[in-house]
């Protein structure tokens, strides 16, 4: 995990394909070959839950090694958690006959703006059985102190 600082703080999500289909499948053809080497987005399905102690992100990343995944936080961008990586496709062997290619491949990128109570310096990430878990501890919310004022007169 690394902390990245960027200069444009106005729109850190500009250019990212939110709420769009991130699937990229090859089109069937007579030879059923792989698509060209143009970059495609792979899917990265992520759950985000909040517990009393932390925000927990779980990403399904089957077949991806932890060395192929980056977890970053951008503090100056307004506490943004970014999970990215790349799912590579299998090499095509000329003797192979492909009947179906449905698994997506390519780069993936997901960004989440974290709330103000996130402890940015204590984020932990772990990967087990193809599931990336990122835990963002929360600061204890201090309730405002209420002081009673005597009314004179």
């Amino acid at each position: 995990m690394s902390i990245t600082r960027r200069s444009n703080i106005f729109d850190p999500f500009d250019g990212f394909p939110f709420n769009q289909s991130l699937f990229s499948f090859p089109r069937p053809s007579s030879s059923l070959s792989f698509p060209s080497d143009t970059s495609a987005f792979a899917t990265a399905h992520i759950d985000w839950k909040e517990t009393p102690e932390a925000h927990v992100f779980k990403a399904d990343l089957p077949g991806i090694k932890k060395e192929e995944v980056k977890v970053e936080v951008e503090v100056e961008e307004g506490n943004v958690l970014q999970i990215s990586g790349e799912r590579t496709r299998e090499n095509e062997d000329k003797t192979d006959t492909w009947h179906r290619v449905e698994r997506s491949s390519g780069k993936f990128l997901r960004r989440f703006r974290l709330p103000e109570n996130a402890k940015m310096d204590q984020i932990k990430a772990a990967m087990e059985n193809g599931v990336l878990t990122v835990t963002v501890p929360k600061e204890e919310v201090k309730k405002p102190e209420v002081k009673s004022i005597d009314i004179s007169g």
Side-chain angles (χ1 to χ4, degrees):
M1 177 176 61
S2 64
I3 296 178
T4 306
R5 303 192 190 287
R6 296 198 179 175
S7 60
N8 183 358
I9 61 170
F10 297 107
D11 191 4
F13 300 101
D14 185 38
F16 293 103
F18 293 114
N19 299 323
Q20 297 177 10
S21 175
L22 299 181
F23 293 101
S24 178
F25 297 114
R27 301 279 189 257
S29 67
S30 58
S31 65
L32 289 174
S33 63
F34 282 108
S36 65
D37 282 340
T38 57
S39 180
F41 276 100
T43 58
H45 297 284
I46 299 176
D47 294 337
W48 175 3
K49 75 175 178 179
E50 182 176 355
T51 69
E53 299 82 28
H55 294 273
V56 181
F57 298 83
K58 289 193 177 239
D60 287 338
L61 302 173
I64 298 178
K65 298 178 186 109
K66 69 179 184 176
E67 297 81 20
E68 299 171 325
V69 177
K70 283 177 34 176
V71 177
E72 301 172 306
V73 291
E74 298 174 358
V75 176
E76 289 183 3
E77 296 276 340
N79 295 349
V80 175
L81 172 69
Q82 178 173 299
I83 300 171
S84 62
E86 185 170 4
R87 179 178 291 132
T88 56
R89 63 177 176 239
E90 290 184 37
N91 292 330
E92 183 178 5
D93 192 343
K94 299 295 180 193
T95 60
D96 293 342
T97 302
W98 289 89
H99 296 282
R100 191 178 240 11
V101 178
E102 292 183 343
R103 297 184 305 155
S104 60
S105 63
K107 295 179 181 180
F108 62 88
L109 172 77
R110 298 293 305 274
R111 294 172 59 119
F112 302 91
R113 185 175 303 280
L114 297 172
E116 293 292 322
N117 66 348
K119 291 183 177 180
M120 301 300 286
D121 58 340
Q122 296 180 16
I123 297 174
K124 303 257 188 267
M127 189 130 164
E128 185 177 338
N129 296 328
V131 177
L132 172 69
T133 303
V134 179
T135 305
V136 182
K138 295 175 5 182
E139 292 180 12
E140 188 175 319
V141 178
K142 296 178 182 168
K143 296 186 179 182
E145 184 178 325
V146 177
K147 183 178 178 182
S148 181
I149 307 296
D150 290 331
I151 301 173
S152 62

